[in-house]
Amino acid sequence: RKPMDLRRVIIFYNLFQVLLSGYMFYEHLMAGWLRGYSFSCQTVDYDDGPLSRRMFNLCYVYYLSKLTEFADTVFFVLRKKQSQITDLHVYHHSLTPMEAWILTKFIAGGNATFPNIINNFVHVLMYFYYMLSAMGPRYQKYLWWKKYMTEVQIIQFILCIGHCINALVTGCPFPRFISTLLLINASIFLALFMNFYIQSYKRRPKAVMAGSTVEKVEEAAKNESVEAKEVNNNTVESVELLEKQDKSEDSPVEELKHAEEVSEEACEEPSVVEELAEPALPKDVTEAVEGLRQRIVTLEELIPEDRPSRVEEVTK
């Protein structure tokens, strides 16, 4: 099976989560945290008043929202992104719905809603980031704050831990068992997110930085070799150009002198034809040939003129 293309579905899903989280954040403020709730210690209001009922309804909506977040896992499976189904993901999406159900069933209000309001604020940012990420490469330049998103989540759990410890230490009448469970849960989340943060942003960048440094060194060396080659080529070309210019700048007088020297050398040296016509013979051979010529001349003088000479017959 090929991975399913759910880009548009994921965009609208993330937009829905942004709006839902924003609505719940506003309702948490209007139902209690801006209407008299104490950040140090707030018990559950079991009265049937408008604010307590509003908070109860909000806790139920919060529980339903955690059920809708199972779609994150479904999308990972359909898109074959099993690598993103980490231990942190499984723990978060398995335990949070059960926690939200317990709070809605027994303690819908008070200190138990403090982690909820912080979680709603964080989810507005988180799902907005996911929405931009799903919108394609054109919006990648707006995702520079991914690291800070993880840091905000870590701060979220630190605040929850501090809030639970304060309730346990100061003797707040809020159920200690629930405060202890919230403290343990927030501590586990903090450990998991810290591990994710270290693995993603503290160790990997060093390797990336080292790789980038090597690439920069190699690129610099390559550039230096190219520049050296260009310098050498330019030097050779410059020398050749200067030589050509020097030759072209010779005066006509010097050119004429050069031509005369060449012609004189040509006149002084015997031609190839002359060397072949007058071969250099030994002295005794030359004397013998000369004596033979004289004898032939003497014989021709003795022969009558009307008779062809022997030399002519031979030549004919």
Side-chain angles (χ1 to χ4, degrees):
R1 183 184 64 84
K2 295 182 179 180
M4 297 181 64
D5 184 9
L6 303 174
R7 188 172 65 88
R8 291 190 176 183
V9 176
I10 293 175
I11 291 174
F12 285 107
Y13 165 75
N14 290 325
L15 177 60
F16 166 76
Q17 291 292 349
V18 169
L19 298 177
L20 179 60
S21 298
Y23 162 76
M24 290 188 292
F25 178 75
Y26 172 79
E27 283 297 305
H28 273 101
L29 295 176
M30 295 297 103
W33 291 100
L34 289 182
R35 297 294 182 87
Y37 265 36
S38 173
F39 286 94
S40 60
C41 179
Q42 180 62 48
T43 58
V44 181
D45 184 7
Y46 291 103
D47 294 337
D48 195 16
L51 290 180
S52 61
R53 183 170 289 276
R54 187 175 182 177
M55 182 63 74
F56 171 77
N57 293 333
L58 175 59
C59 290
Y60 184 68
V61 174
Y62 181 83
Y63 162 69
L64 295 178
S65 70
K66 295 306 170 184
L67 297 180
T68 63
E69 291 177 6
F70 279 121
D72 294 343
T73 307
V74 175
F75 292 150
F76 287 153
V77 174
L78 295 179
R79 297 168 60 211
K80 288 193 172 183
K81 300 289 185 179
Q82 282 80 0
S83 60
Q84 298 185 5
I85 306 177
T86 60
D87 296 338
L88 173 60
H89 178 87
V90 173
Y91 179 81
H92 173 69
H93 288 274
S94 300
L95 188 64
T96 304
M98 293 187 291
E99 178 188 11
W101 180 83
I102 293 173
L103 298 179
T104 304
K105 180 69 175 180
F106 301 104
I107 44 175
N111 275 4
T113 60
F114 179 78
N116 297 358
I117 186 174
I118 300 179
N119 182 259
N120 291 148
F121 174 76
V122 172
H123 275 207
V124 170
L125 301 177
M126 184 181 72
Y127 281 104
F128 180 72
Y129 174 88
Y130 291 156
M131 183 180 68
L132 290 179
S133 178
M135 293 174 69
R138 292 177 54 188
Y139 297 89
Q140 296 300 314
K141 59 184 178 181
Y142 302 111
L143 302 179
W144 53 267
W145 46 283
K146 179 181 179 181
K147 175 182 177 181
Y148 303 104
M149 183 70 251
T150 307
E151 292 177 352
V152 170
Q153 291 174 308
I154 292 174
I155 295 173
Q156 166 192 354
F157 299 115
I158 293 176
L159 292 176
C160 292
I161 291 173
H163 188 259
C164 293
I165 292 176
N166 177 75
L168 292 171
V169 172
T170 59
C172 179
F174 186 82
R176 295 179 63 85
F177 177 72
I178 299 299
S179 296
T180 303
L181 290 180
L182 293 175
L183 175 61
I184 295 174
N185 183 50
S187 300
I188 294 174
F189 272 121
L190 178 62
L192 292 174
F193 270 89
M194 284 297 298
N195 179 68
F196 171 79
Y197 183 81
I198 293 172
Q199 295 293 333
S200 301
Y201 304 110
K202 294 299 182 182
R203 293 182 180 178
R204 187 174 62 182
K206 293 182 179 179
V208 173
M209 186 179 299
S212 62
T213 304
V214 173
E215 293 176 356
K216 289 181 180 179
V217 171
E218 293 178 351
E219 184 177 358
K222 186 183 296 184
N223 293 335
E224 290 178 359
S225 63
V226 171
E227 291 176 358
K229 185 176 180 180
E230 292 177 354
V231 169
N232 293 334
N233 291 337
N234 292 336
T235 304
V236 173
E237 293 175 357
S238 300
V239 171
E240 294 177 352
L241 182 61
L242 290 174
E243 291 177 353
K244 290 180 180 179
Q245 291 178 352
D246 292 338
K247 291 181 180 179
S248 62
E249 291 176 358
D250 290 339
S251 61
V253 177
E254 293 178 351
E255 293 181 357
L256 181 59
K257 289 182 179 180
H258 180 69
E260 291 176 353
E261 291 175 356
V262 171
S263 60
E264 290 176 358
E265 292 176 356
C267 294
E268 292 175 356
E269 294 180 358
S271 64
V272 177
V273 177
E274 292 176 348
E275 291 180 354
L276 293 176
E278 297 181 358
L281 298 176
K283 185 177 181 180
D284 53 350
V285 175
T286 304
E287 294 177 352
V289 171
E290 184 65 24
L292 182 60
R293 285 180 179 179
Q294 292 178 358
R295 291 179 183 180
I296 292 173
V297 171
T298 304
L299 291 174
E300 287 180 351
E301 292 177 354
L302 297 176
I303 296 174
E305 295 181 357
D306 57 349
R307 184 178 177 179
S309 64
R310 184 64 179 172
V311 176
E312 292 178 353
E313 291 179 356
V314 172
T315 57
K316 290 180 180 180

